[in-house]
Amino acid sequence: MQRVAKSEETRSLIVTTAMRLFTENGYDRTTMRAIAAEAGVSVGNAYYYFSSKEQLIQGFYDEMATQHLTAARALLTGRPGFADRLKAVLLCWLDIAEPYHRFGTQFFVNAADPESPLSPFSDDSSAAREASIGLMREVVDGSDVKLDPELRDQLPELLWLFQMGVVLFWVHDRSAGTKRSRLLVERSVPLLARLAALSRLRVFRPVSREIVDLIHDLAKRD
Amino acid sequence: MQRVAKSEETRSLIVTTAMRLFTENGYDRTTMRAIAAEAGVSVGNAYYYFSSKEQLIQGFYDEMATQHLTAARALLTGRPGFADRLKAVLLCWLDIAEPYHRFGTQFFVNAADPESPLSPFSDDSSAAREASIGLMREVVDGSDVKLDPELRDQLPELLWLFQMGVVLFWVHDRSAGTKRSRLLVERSVPLLARLAALSRLRVFRPVSREIVDLIHDLAKRD
DNA sequence: CAGCCCTCTTGAACACGTTCAAAAGCAGCG
DNA sequence: CGCTGCTTTTGAACGTGTTCAAGAGGGCTG
């Protein structure tokens, strides 16, 4: 029992130290030796708890996701408009991610590797992914938006994909305070909402259906 | 004169050897020492010509782009339909890229780093980027598609962005012969064409305008 | 207590990308 | 030919992420 507590303590000591050094000096310039030294353990010990340097950020990633989930949910109550809800959720992510933009960049580069367990599409990330898609489902279901029912089913996943796009943009965003990413959200969200509403229009209907079908077919793994 | 020729010979010997080893064993498993040994030069010499291991693929990237440009142009003549033209260009890219999918993955991971000169958005890549956008302009201009003139100006850049999306999908594509990427192109291109056509419709017009505006504003660096 | 086993910890060692001072080649000039 | 200056080439050395055999610590059983 006490052994377990001690172990958990060491683990969290290492990850905390790592995160501090990452934010202070950036991912690349922080060495495993420095992390171990600062935490007062040996290099080998860090590797006993975390299989790689990359792995060290997974814990951080999870924490950020949880933070976003709760903060975003709080923003959703008493907000009926679809565009309003979506915008709130996305801007909330930008707020939470802001302090980590410097080394977050390095992080998401690693995540871009399809082979990496850090990839948002990987099996290892499926729990976090499902949670995020669930949040998007709340955005849709709690709103007063009228939708083609076919689209309604797929929309949460589409919105999650859109969020990944925003993240990609954010990673490349070099503007002060990442304000261009905010601009992207502010202006693209109303557009998305209008497009979603158009999905019920007769002319647009077949196109909308085909989009849904395509996504559906592509989602099937084989 | 002869010095220059010899120098160029060494340079190309190194890059050729590197490409061979990359395709044979993958990027990660190919060491600089192995490349140098196989090419019959010293490690330091490889670094005299290429500033890093990453840099070694830039030459390859350029070659692939050139190959695509000429092959795609050949496919465009006598093909008036917009969707047809776009589909041909994208499938052509998939064909050319196919043999390098294995290590191409690793390549595009490096390219995902916004700081990297290999990023498609970087200044170093601007020449290649402009060329690709130029190809998309030919796709639009040579076709019989009727468009909102505002959209017509921006469309090539949008199509290039779409192509980057296809590449991203392809990198993550694990299906045999990357046939899912082909499916994506086959089915999304007609959709895009219909959307583009819809841009002239009254209901759609303001949305279309806003999209163009947004892209325009985001493209401004600051 | 002694012996055992499992968890945790260590630091030297390895393989890699990269750097750099030094040497080697080579052309032009006096 | 010897000297000078430039390009090209070398390989040892550095700093890094990562591995691993060895050991320390501490609880459990006989």
Side-chain angles (χ1 to χ4, degrees), chain A residues 152-178:
Chain A
R152 192 175 200 100
D153 285 348
Q154 299 287 323
L155 195 53
E157 199 158 351
L158 287 178
L159 292 179
W160 177 78
L161 263 179
F162 178 65
Q163 184 182 343
M164 293 300 102
V166 171
V167 171
L168 191 62
F169 187 91
W170 175 81
V171 165
H172 284 81
D173 187 355
R174 287 289 167 275
S175 66
T178 57

Side-chain angles (χ1 to χ4, degrees), chain A residues 122-190:
Chain A
S122 78
D123 288 342
D124 299 67
S125 301
S126 69
R129 186 172 61 246
E130 291 307 324
S132 291
I133 294 176
L135 178 62
M136 287 304 183
R137 192 170 303 280
E138 289 179 43
V139 167
V140 176
D141 288 348
S143 81
D144 51 13
V145 72
K146 306 271 183 255
L147 292 169
D148 178 348
E150 293 260 337
L151 182 61
R152 192 175 200 100
D153 285 348
Q154 299 287 323
L155 195 53
E157 199 158 351
L158 287 178
L159 292 179
W160 177 78
L161 263 179
F162 178 65
Q163 184 182 343
M164 293 300 102
V166 171
V167 171
L168 191 62
F169 187 91
W170 175 81
V171 165
H172 284 81
D173 187 355
R174 287 289 167 275
S175 66
T178 57
K179 64 176 189 315
R180 295 170 64 76
S181 298
R182 285 187 161 70
L183 182 67
L184 171 66
V185 170
E186 297 276 5
R187 294 191 49 187
S188 62
V189 164

Side-chain angles (χ1 to χ4, degrees), chain B residues 68 72 75-76 79 83-93:
Chain B
H68 177 231
L75 291 173
L76 285 182
R79 214 183 272 258
D84 216 29
R85 291 167 75 82
L86 181 56
K87 197 190 291 180
V89 165
L90 293 176
L91 289 178
C92 173
W93 189 89

Side-chain angles (χ1 to χ4, degrees), chain B residues 196-217:
Chain B
L198 280 177
S199 75
R200 305 212 308 158
L201 243 60
R202 182 149 297 169
V203 275
F204 199 81
R205 199 83 170 241
V207 179
S208 155
R209 282 288 161 88
E210 272 185 55
I211 293 179
V212 168
D213 274 7
L214 175 57
I215 303 281
H216 185 253
D217 284 358

Side-chain angles (χ1 to χ4, degrees), chain B residues 122-144:
Chain B
S122 77
D123 288 343
D124 300 66
S125 300
S126 69
R129 186 173 59 245
E130 290 307 322
S132 292
I133 294 176
L135 178 63
M136 286 305 183
R137 192 169 304 280
E138 288 179 43
V139 167
V140 175
D141 288 348
S143 81
D144 51 15

Side-chain angles (χ1 to χ4, degrees), chain A residues 109 112-115 171-172 174 180 184 187-188 191 194 204 206-207 210-211 213-214 217-218 220 222, chain B residues 109 112-115 171-172 174 180 184 187-188 191 194-195 198 206-207 210 213-214 217-218 220 222:
Chain A
V109 166
D113 183 355
E115 307 292 346
V171 165
H172 284 81
R174 287 289 167 275
R180 295 170 64 76
L184 171 66
R187 294 191 49 187
S188 62
L191 265 169
R194 288 172 76 176
F204 199 80
V207 178
E210 271 185 56
I211 293 178
D213 274 6
L214 176 57
D217 285 357
L218 288 175
K220 285 187 302 211
D222 54 357
Chain B
V109 167
D113 183 355
E115 307 294 344
V171 165
H172 285 81
R174 288 289 168 274
R180 296 171 62 76
L184 171 66
R187 295 191 47 189
S188 62
L191 264 168
R194 286 172 75 177
L195 277 175
L198 280 177
V207 179
E210 272 185 55
D213 274 7
L214 175 57
D217 284 358
L218 288 175
K220 283 189 302 210
D222 55 1

